[in-house]
Amino acid sequence: MMGRRKSKAFAQENQSLVPCSSGTESARVEVEDEAMEERVESVSLDDSPLIGAENTSADYYFDSYSHFGIHEEMLKDVVRTKTYQNVIYQNKFLFKNKVVLDVGAGTGILSLFCAKAGAKHVYAVECSQMADMAKEIVQTNGYSDVITVLKGKVEEIELPVAHVDVIISEWMGYFLLFENMLNTVLYARDKWLINNGIILPDKALLYLTTIEDAEYKEDKIEFWNDVYGFDMSCIRKQAMAEPLVDTVDLKQIVTSDIMIKMMDISEMTSGDVSFTAPFKLVAERNDFIHAFMAYFNVQFTQCHREISFSTGPRSKATHWKQTVLYLDEVLTICKDEVIYGNMTVEPNKKNPRDLEITIDYTLNGKRSQVSSTQHYKMR
Ligand code: SAH
């Protein structure tokens, strides 16, 4: 599931109007591709010309997944989509004569892969208007007897079968957990997956490191201190509190990486989406640190040979990019010095699609002695 996702999530906050609560405005997310940015921006309440006969602009505004633009971005993310395709086509034994549930089917692409790989039946559940397109796509491609598209929320629909053998889903958001769709997958698992059934992907790993980012911090954060001669630093505070989704150059990394959280999708409970984890990051050179940076990897360990992909800066870029969390203080760190800390991640109590992230850290170095707590909110 998508800066995307400026896009995977740029719908309005009013949950009651979001048919499947696909997310809230993620204004900070940078979009590399200007054309995409324009397209995404143009989906606003004032922009009726974009909209088809049966849907109003509000439908799209409040439910970003109803518009094809976000699906285009996801489908064109080759790392993402090809990995799922390889998982399915190279491991037909997982699908042959099996009943599959596609959680959040979008255009139906994963269901089509599964059908082609020999699944007995695929239930494709999608809550946005895109479900109508998925139905048509399934029909056009001659899979109507194998794939049943169900329009509605996973939490609300009835499946015509009591159990499924396989659950497949692309639920990952920025910083892995933004949008909190993982809970929808866990709900489906607990309700329909047979004992020893397979869930794809089955592991997600969140990583943390630090970066030098003077130039961009100046541009995105310090900018607010002096705007055409005026002090707008009250906005600086807000900018600081919002994780920035953008690509980071490998050369910016200052310390070691740490795998801060491993989520086992076949075992975990919805409570495990909230966690506190300690970290220890060792400086690889003398440098300045402006931010923490997070990314995630996804694994399909049930495959004949394990398949995975990474959204980290060492791998080909994906639409998830990386997530940058700026520090109030610039750290002057010397090679081999260590930053100790804890990271807490939890869904916002009022709006569980929003993420609260807290990092406390200590550096007792030769040139910087800092102990601080920083709060971030992803929305
Ligand atoms: N599987 C598609 C789409 C992934 S994006 C692909 O890989 O291209 C995630 C999709 O899940 C979105 O289309 C979104 O509308 C849908 N979704 C999110 N929460 C849902 C829920 N609770 N019930 C049904 N669909 C949901």
Side-chain angles (χ1 to χ4, degrees):
M1 282 186 333
M2 288 200 184
R4 117 162 117 179
R5 281 180 200 199
K6 171 166 210 156
S7 12
K8 207 155 188 179
F10 65 97
Q12 191 53 278
E13 194 151 339
N14 191 338
Q15 295 291 306
S16 61
L17 287 166
V18 182
C20 60
S21 321
S22 55
T24 54
E25 179 78 39
S26 174
R28 290 292 301 285
V29 177
E30 302 292 299
V31 174
E32 253 173 5
D33 171 11
E34 291 292 326
M36 172 62 83
E37 179 153 39
E38 270 169 31
R39 185 159 54 242
V40 167
E41 299 290 14
S42 70
V43 183
S44 78
L45 284 170
D46 308 325
D47 258 330
S48 32
L50 246 182
I51 310 306
E54 62 285 9
N55 298 316
T56 67
S57 56
D59 287 327
Y60 290 135
Y61 190 78
F62 292 123
D63 174 13
S64 60
Y65 287 106
S66 290
H67 191 265
F68 65 84
I70 195 162
H71 296 279
E72 180 179 357
E73 187 185 11
M74 291 189 290
L75 293 168
K76 286 181 176 170
D77 181 337
V78 177
V79 172
R80 182 199 87 108
T81 311
K82 259 277 168 212
T83 302
Y84 276 84
Q85 189 185 44
N86 289 340
V87 164
I88 299 165
Y89 286 3
Q90 293 173 12
N91 295 278
K92 296 205 173 77
F93 70 96
L94 293 175
F95 300 91
K96 196 122 200 87
N97 295 321
K98 297 285 165 60
V99 176
V100 180
L101 173 62
D102 179 356
V103 172
T107 54
I109 184 69
L110 304 183
S111 295
L112 290 162
F113 290 155
C114 293
K116 206 165 169 181
K120 183 158 97 189
H121 205 89
V122 186
Y123 294 97
V125 184
E126 171 58 44
C127 61
S128 75
Q129 303 301 326
M130 194 49 65
D132 300 332
M133 292 294 107
K135 279 182 196 164
E136 201 169 323
I137 292 164
V138 164
Q139 205 167 25
T140 307
N141 289 277
Y143 284 104
S144 300
D145 50 340
V146 185
I147 302 173
T148 306
V149 177
L150 299 163
K151 186 176 182 179
K153 285 181 82 167
V154 166
E155 293 82 353
E156 289 165 8
I157 52 118
E158 303 260 343
L159 268 195
V161 290
H163 300 290
V164 301
D165 305 302
V166 179
I167 288 180
I168 194 155
S169 184
E170 197 281 84
W171 52 267
M172 296 79 75
Y174 294 129
F175 188 74
L176 184 63
L177 295 170
F178 184 49
E179 291 185 53
N180 206 2
M181 193 180 154
L182 176 53
N183 275 341
T184 299
V185 175
L186 300 179
Y187 173 93
R189 180 199 68 188
D190 293 345
K191 190 161 179 186
W192 293 298
L193 191 64
I194 53 156
N195 266 345
N196 300 319
I198 284 173
I199 192 152
L200 297 163
D202 61 335
K203 298 245 162 49
L205 304 94
L206 186 66
Y207 290 82
L208 188 71
T209 185
T210 62
I211 57 169
E212 190 285 331
D213 204 20
E215 214 176 305
Y216 209 55
K217 190 184 181 206
E218 195 63 35
D219 181 42
K220 298 298 290 183
I221 305 288
E222 309 309 340
F223 164 76
W224 296 106
N225 293 333
D226 177 358
V227 182
Y228 296 89
F230 297 100
D231 182 342
M232 297 194 183
S233 55
C234 53
I235 297 182
R236 178 190 185 279
K237 269 197 219 112
Q238 293 183 354
M240 277 292 301
E242 269 191 43
L244 183 83
V245 175
D246 207 350
T247 45
V248 166
D249 196 300
L250 199 51
K251 292 193 290 261
Q252 292 177 257
I253 296 177
V254 179
T255 59
S256 54
D257 297 37
I258 185 165
M259 198 256 288
I260 192 126
K261 183 73 182 173
M262 195 275 279
M263 304 224 167
D264 181 340
I265 319 303
S266 50
E267 300 281 328
M268 67 185 289
T269 65
S270 61
D272 298 333
V273 169
S274 307
F275 63 89
T276 296
F279 62 81
K280 177 185 164 192
L281 299 167
V282 185
E284 283 163 356
R285 58 168 185 265
N286 284 7
D287 210 333
F288 301 99
I289 290 174
H290 299 88
F292 286 102
M293 185 272 277
Y295 62 89
F296 62 90
N297 294 359
V298 174
Q299 299 176 343
F300 302 79
T301 72
Q302 311 273 3
C303 295
H304 183 56
R305 285 173 61 93
E306 184 177 312
I307 295 181
S308 63
F309 71 86
S310 173
T311 66
R314 289 173 192 81
S315 305
K316 192 165 182 267
T318 70
H319 74 280
W320 286 285
K321 303 182 179 179
Q322 287 90 42
T323 303
V324 175
L325 306 119
Y326 285 111
L327 295 174
D328 273 324
E329 285 203 52
V330 179
L331 308 182
T332 306
I333 200 163
C334 303
K335 187 174 186 310
D336 297 327
E337 286 181 354
V338 181
I339 303 171
Y340 292 95
N342 289 287
M343 180 160 84
T344 300
V345 179
E346 53 195 347
N348 179 272
K349 298 218 165 49
K350 270 207 235 133
N351 181 358
R353 301 261 158 191
D354 291 356
L355 266 191
E356 304 282 346
I357 305 166
T358 305
I359 300 181
D360 62 67
Y361 68 92
T362 303
L363 169 63
N364 248 321
K366 274 202 303 273
R367 295 181 179 151
S368 272
Q369 296 85 38
V370 185
S371 208
S372 179
T373 302
Q374 303 239 191
H375 296 286
Y376 306 91
K377 186 173 181 140
M378 232 174 160
R379 54 185 167 168

